[in-house]
Amino acid sequence: MATIASPEVDIDHDIQGSPLELPDFSAESYKDAYSRINAIVIEGEKEAYDNYISIGNLIPENAAELKKLAVMEMKHMRGFTACGKNLGVKADMPFAKKFFSKLHGNFQEAFSKGNITTCLLIQAILIEAFAISAYNVYIRVADPFAKKITEGVVKDEYLHLNYGQEWLKANLDTCKEELIQANKENLPLIKSMLDQVATDAEILHMDKEELMEEFMIAYQDSLVEMGLDNRQIARMALAAVV
Ligand code: PL3
Ligand code: FE2
Ligand code: FE2
C-alpha cells in the first residue's frame, strides 16, 4: 500500500531494520520509567531556560536573541509537563535535579567566571545534542500526543544548537583551547547521564545504541560546522570513552 512517508527516512524500523513496536503506554512499568524520564526532560528544559538567560548576560549584544531561545525552552517544559499529565504520570523532580547536578554545577562555575565558551559548549552543544538525540529516538516510539509535541520541540533544539555553533565558529581562534578543555570535562558527564537513563529509556523502547548514534551525529556535525578538522573532532569525541 502506498504511504505518504518519505522513502529515504525509515522511521518505522530500528537501526537493525526490525519493525519498531510501540510500548504499552498504560503499563505500570512504562509509567514508572516515564516518571523519571519525563522529569529529566522537564528539569532539562527548565535549566535550559535559565542557562540561555544567563548566557544573555555574558553576551549582551545577543541578549534579545537569547531571550527568544529561552522562551522556547519554557514552552518545551510546558509541553513535556502536559505529556506526563496525559499519561497520568507524576514526574520525579528530585531525581531529575540530581541527574543534572554535576553539569549544572559546571555551568554555574563557568558562568560565574564569565567563560562564554564553556557555557555555550555545555548548554548549546552538549545538552542540545543530547536532547536532539533523545527526542529523535523518542518520536519513533511515543504516544500520539507526546509525538506531536516532541516533533515541534526538536525543530527548536536545532536552532539552539545552531546558535552555539555559529558563535563558537565566529570566535574559534580565541576559544579553541577553552572549548577542548571544557569538552574534556563535560562530555564524560553526558556519557554517564546517558548510561544512567538507558534502562528507563529501554522500557520506553528507546535503544541506547541508537541514542548514542544520534548524539554523535548532532555533536560531530556541529564541530564540523565550527571549522574543526577531523583529527580535532576525533580527539574531542574520544573524551567520551577515556
Ligand atoms: C534543552 O532544550 C533540552 C534539555 C533536555 C535534555 C534531556 C535529555 C533527555 C534524555 C532522556 C530521554 C528522553 C526521551 C523523551 C521523553 C519525553
Ligand atoms: Fe528545549
Ligand atoms: Fe534547547
Side-chain angles (χ1 to χ4, degrees):
M1 197 179 75
T3 68
I4 53 164
S6 149
E8 299 98 59
V9 195
D10 182 4
I11 54 161
D12 298 327
H13 293 76
D14 68 16
I15 40 178
Q16 274 86 33
S18 319
L20 282 178
E21 219 179 285
L22 290 182
D24 174 359
F25 305 116
S26 62
E28 277 315 309
S29 56
Y30 187 91
K31 292 205 207 175
D32 173 59
Y34 205 86
S35 70
R36 287 178 293 280
I37 294 217
N38 188 228
I40 286 171
V41 171
I42 293 169
E43 177 67 20
E45 298 291 358
K46 163 78 178 67
E47 292 189 15
Y49 172 87
D50 295 339
N51 291 349
Y52 284 114
I53 298 290
S54 296
I55 295 167
N57 288 321
L58 299 180
I59 316 175
E61 64 275 24
N62 287 5
E65 186 179 357
L66 285 156
K67 174 81 206 241
K68 277 191 200 153
L69 303 186
V71 168
M72 292 181 202
E73 304 295 23
M74 205 37 101
K75 213 178 123 204
H76 300 168
M77 189 192 88
R78 291 199 193 100
F80 287 125
T81 303
C83 294
K85 283 223 170 77
N86 179 54
L87 293 174
V89 169
K90 185 175 183 294
D92 185 346
M93 296 314 294
F95 172 85
K97 267 214 155 19
K98 228 166 100 198
F99 180 84
F100 277 104
S101 60
K102 274 199 183 147
L103 203 56
H104 184 67
N106 285 358
F107 182 94
Q108 288 303 320
E109 193 192 332
F111 174 64
S112 70
K113 292 181 179 159
N115 293 342
I116 301 176
T117 298
T118 302
C119 288
L120 283 176
L121 176 82
I122 292 176
Q123 176 57 50
I125 308 299
L126 297 179
I127 295 180
E128 298 295 353
F130 188 35
I132 285 169
S133 67
Y135 299 163
N136 276 330
V137 174
Y138 178 59
I139 281 167
R140 301 165 196 162
V141 290
D143 67 86
F145 180 85
K147 181 173 163 38
K148 214 163 169 227
I149 287 179
T150 311
E151 281 167 346
V153 168
V154 77
K155 286 198 191 102
D156 291 344
E157 308 304 12
Y158 283 103
L159 300 176
H160 300 169
L161 184 79
N162 198 61
Y163 173 85
Q165 175 191 299
E166 292 306 309
W167 192 94
L168 291 164
K169 179 181 184 172
N171 295 278
L172 196 62
D173 288 346
T174 52
C175 75
K176 202 188 272 178
E177 228 172 284
E178 185 185 329
L179 185 73
I180 289 170
Q181 188 53 35
N183 180 75
K184 218 180 229 155
E185 285 162 22
N186 292 288
L187 184 60
L189 294 181
I190 297 285
K191 173 64 172 56
S192 104
M193 289 160 80
L194 187 79
D195 290 340
Q196 284 171 54
V197 86
T199 315
D200 283 330
E202 200 66 51
I203 294 169
L204 272 53
H205 289 197
M206 296 169 65
D207 181 62
K208 186 179 176 187
E209 272 181 42
E210 225 169 310
L211 284 166
M212 288 199 279
E213 184 181 287
E214 292 281 350
F215 175 83
M216 277 303 170
I217 291 170
Y219 170 74
Q220 291 183 338
D221 272 359
S222 80
L223 299 180
V224 171
E225 286 301 318
M226 276 175 220
L228 293 162
D229 67 34
N230 281 345
R231 185 173 303 277
Q232 288 164 333
I233 293 171
R235 279 203 188 129
M236 284 180 72
L238 276 172
V241 288
V242 289

